[in-house]
Amino acid sequence: MRFDAPDALNSQPSPAIVTQDAVRSLPRWALLLLCLAYVVPGYVGREPWRSADIAAFGYMLELAGSARWQDWWQPTLMSIPADTGALLPYWLGAWAMQLAPGWVAPDFAARIPFMLMLAGTLAAAWYAVYYLARHPTAQPVAFAFGGEASPIDYARALADGGLLALVATLGLAQFSHETTPALAQLFFGTLVFYGLAAFPFRPLGSTLALLSGLPGLTLSGAPVTALIYGGLCLAALLTPGLAHLGPAERRRGLLVLLAGTLASAALAWGADLIRWQIAPWRTTWNDWRSLASLFLWFCWPVWPLVLWTLWHWRRQLTGLRRHRHLGLPLTIGSVPLATTIATLAGDRALLLALPALAALAAFALPTFKRSMASLIDWFTVLFFTAWAIVIWVVWVAMETGVPAKPAANVARLAPEFEPVFQWPAFVAAGLATLAWVALARWRTGRHRTALWKSLVLPAAGTTLCWLLLMTLWLPALDYGRSFAPQMRELRQLIGDTPCVEVHGLGAPQVAAVRFHGGWTPMPARGPANCRWLLVDINAQASLPATVTLSEWSPVGQVRRPTDKNETLLVYKRIGAP
């Protein structure tokens, strides 16, 4: 694949001055091990969490047991329709449960496709940065007597840095480990990003990525974003950065991408998937401060690196159509950024911007001075080491009661929680901590010339803390974030029964009643004749208008241990055995 010379495409000098020694490759085994340590924890060994996680799982569970094709196009949970406008994520979870053997728990089976989508997101983000860095305008300055970084090695080093930046982002951790449409949108959005980035180099592969990414976005609950990206795909074929493509290739790309965009529009219209909810205009200081706080922590530590990139590459910002390594991430990232401000999706919309922001952050690496890299290293070592110590200390307090103050805080936040020592979790946490100590010692002692060096510790530190939370703290987090403890206490009260009538319960609570309780929830207004009635405490006032209270006798109430507002009132039908 040949390009025009860089000088023909770019009249502005590159700020990247990189030697061949600085683009040494990050060992593949280390990068794969880091990704494995990031992807797997959070998917294994936990209960479905409130609220979006267990609600999505509830819709998947309903579809897995349904034989009516109409239900698959309108997922409902006890007559509660899914309000996300998504279909494909629920299909994937339901298919996984149907295909899984009987000894695999349904909730874990539903997580398998999402685990694969997270791994695919990381891979697509790596290749997107790789092909952006291969573009001539992104290459470093050529030295008079040679010795500059080779294009492929330079692109590989920046791709490593982009992947590390994405893993290090704080906002990615929780949402990327939930079985919700947000992760599916992230995966298909990253596929679109990769397809646009790779088109000058891999027309066929990128076309396949775009044709799957655009409809995937539509079916995952982001049809407007898919249509906007489809328009950007078509416009990308007209940019000077793709001038090397022949007329036949350009024509084929336009036809295929037009077909993909039209297919996305047809899916969105035919399945009634568009859910555009404009947020009320923010008129108070607290509203804007809350939004700013979201951007600051959700995109940390990527956003400072993005600002650094924009400053040091500022001479190329006037020609974004020619400088695709800046123009494409800015364009792709601006869509979810605007969506976060304009709609009610909030942080789940902002999730889609992270791969593009990580790509921009990667281009800050060739412009770092040694003093800046050292500052990032020492700050990262101190920050994540302190948090790792806190996690370990609290875990020891949960297990032994010493130190007393952290143990008392846990008892206050999670009353009646009984810690359970788990050897596999302890061993995994111990090995991860030892690996962090070894990495910090290695990074602060040697290999200071590697281009990706400044993002190794942030990515490893984020992975360490996430792994410690998902091993040492997982029993406590399950106790505090799932409905399982409440359903266990409820089962002690009502025991086995084929069905329960419910009133005022939302989709997460209905899913918990079915999955954790093992009962079939039925609407209280319907024809069911169940022995028990469950009422959300906040819907107690509307109960007389729904049922005949003289037919029911109050038995008690069961609250979720960590949230007094999520209390269920229990009624028994008068005369029932």
Side-chain angles (χ1 to χ4, degrees):
M1 184 70 64
R2 294 180 58 85
F3 282 97
D4 296 334
D7 291 340
L9 292 174
N10 178 21
S11 60
Q12 298 296 336
S14 170
I17 303 177
V18 184
T19 64
Q20 181 62 30
D21 185 53
V23 293
R24 64 182 64 182
S25 176
L26 177 63
R28 298 299 95 180
W29 65 266
L31 189 61
L32 292 175
L33 187 61
L34 177 70
C35 293
L36 184 67
Y38 185 82
V39 170
V40 174
Y43 281 110
V44 178
R46 71 169 177 89
E47 303 281 358
W49 287 345
R50 59 182 299 272
S51 298
D53 189 45
I54 192 171
F57 172 67
Y59 290 109
M60 299 171 195
L61 198 61
E62 285 287 325
L63 291 180
S66 175
R68 298 176 66 251
W69 66 267
Q70 295 91 340
D71 295 338
W72 290 75
W73 286 99
Q74 295 179 342
T76 58
L77 185 59
M78 202 200 68
S79 302
I80 304 175
D83 60 355
T84 59
L87 294 175
L88 184 58
Y90 305 135
W91 294 350
L92 294 175
W95 288 334
M97 284 187 279
Q98 290 176 340
L99 296 175
W103 51 268
V104 177
D107 56 330
F108 178 72
R111 294 190 196 112
I112 294 176
F114 292 84
M115 191 187 310
L116 296 176
M117 282 193 287
L118 176 55
T121 298
L122 299 181
W126 190 94
Y127 280 103
V129 180
Y130 174 78
Y131 287 116
L132 287 176
R134 288 280 303 275
H135 198 268
T137 61
Q139 290 293 309
V141 174
F143 298 160
F145 300 99
E148 71 276 5
S150 69
I152 294 180
D153 292 338
Y154 172 76
R156 185 180 293 114
L158 280 189
D160 291 344
L163 177 57
L164 294 174
L166 181 59
V167 171
T169 308
L170 297 182
L172 182 68
Q174 176 184 336
F175 294 137
S176 66
H177 291 85
E178 291 182 343
T179 56
T180 64
L183 176 57
Q185 294 173 17
L186 174 66
F187 170 63
F188 290 110
T190 310
L191 273 186
V192 173
F193 181 37
Y194 157 75
L196 284 169
F199 200 89
F201 302 87
R202 295 288 185 268
L204 179 59
S206 61
T207 298
L208 293 176
L210 291 169
L211 288 178
S212 58
L214 292 174
L217 264 176
T218 299
L219 292 175
S220 298
V224 176
T225 301
L227 294 177
I228 295 175
Y229 282 166
L232 296 176
C233 294
L234 295 171
L237 291 175
L238 305 176
T239 61
L242 300 175
H244 71 287
L245 294 178
E249 292 176 299
R250 185 183 299 274
R251 191 181 309 112
R252 183 171 59 251
L254 285 170
L255 291 176
V256 171
L257 291 173
L258 181 60
T261 305
L262 292 177
S264 299
L267 285 172
W269 180 267
D272 192 23
L273 299 178
I274 296 180
R275 302 287 190 274
W276 187 264
Q277 296 177 319
I278 302 297
W281 182 251
R282 297 170 177 85
T283 57
T284 66
W285 166 248
N286 288 334
D287 293 337
W288 288 105
R289 184 177 60 181
S290 177
L291 182 64
S293 177
L294 172 64
F295 279 100
L296 289 178
W297 76 262
F298 198 91
C299 302
W300 179 269
V302 168
W303 67 264
L305 301 180
V306 171
L307 296 180
W308 183 280
T309 296
L310 296 180
W311 172 253
H312 284 271
W313 293 80
R314 62 189 181 277
R315 294 184 178 180
Q316 296 188 359
L317 294 178
T318 56
L320 293 179
R321 289 171 60 86
R322 295 189 304 273
H323 307 112
R324 301 182 67 249
H325 61 291
L326 300 177
L328 182 56
L330 283 174
T331 304
I332 292 295
S334 64
V335 176
L337 290 176
T339 303
T340 303
I341 298 174
T343 70
L344 302 175
D347 45 12
R348 296 183 185 271
L350 188 56
L351 185 68
L352 274 69
L354 296 185
L357 296 179
L360 286 173
F363 286 97
L365 300 179
T367 63
F368 273 165
K369 305 299 182 183
R370 177 168 295 185
S371 58
M372 176 59 67
S374 298
L375 177 63
I376 294 175
D377 288 340
W378 286 110
F379 172 79
T380 305
V381 168
L382 295 176
F383 180 80
F384 286 110
T385 300
W387 274 109
I389 292 174
V390 169
I391 296 173
W392 274 103
V393 168
V394 173
W395 176 79
V396 171
M398 286 191 293
E399 296 289 337
T400 65
V402 179
K405 187 173 182 179
N409 290 335
V410 173
R412 177 176 55 84
L413 295 174
E416 302 180 6
F417 168 68
E418 296 181 2
V420 179
F421 183 81
Q422 299 173 331
W423 272 108
F426 174 75
V427 172
L431 292 176
T433 304
L434 292 176
W436 167 255
V437 173
L439 178 64
R441 183 177 179 182
W442 172 86
R443 173 62 194 95
T444 55
R446 297 180 296 167
H447 301 286
R448 293 185 175 275
T449 59
L451 196 62
W452 38 261
K453 62 186 183 298
S454 299
L455 287 172
V456 168
L457 289 178
T462 302
T463 303
L464 169 69
C465 291
W466 177 253
L467 189 146
L468 293 181
L469 289 174
M470 294 297 103
T471 52
L472 299 180
W473 283 21
L474 186 58
L477 290 174
D478 266 348
Y479 185 82
R481 301 206 61 193
S482 77
F483 287 98
Q486 185 184 28
M487 293 299 118
R488 285 195 295 265
E489 186 176 350
L490 190 61
R491 172 165 281 278
Q492 293 178 358
L493 185 62
I494 69 177
D496 291 327
T497 185
C499 68
V500 292
E501 298 184 30
V502 299
H503 173 72
L505 274 63
Q509 294 169 304
V510 171
V513 168
R514 176 172 179 180
F515 178 66
H516 293 298
W519 312 298
T520 300
M522 307 293 292
R525 192 185 295 270
N529 191 25
C530 303
R531 295 164 51 192
W532 299 92
L533 170 65
L534 305 179
V535 181
D536 186 273
I537 193 171
N538 297 316
Q540 187 178 10
S542 60
L543 183 61
T546 305
V547 302
T548 304
L549 287 181
S550 60
E551 297 178 358
W552 298 93
S553 173
V555 175
Q557 60 183 20
V558 179
R559 58 166 291 186
R560 204 166 69 85
T562 56
D563 191 346
K564 63 181 180 181
N565 293 321
E566 293 190 7
T567 300
L568 295 179
L569 306 179
V570 184
Y571 292 81
K572 186 177 182 180
R573 189 179 295 275
I574 296 176

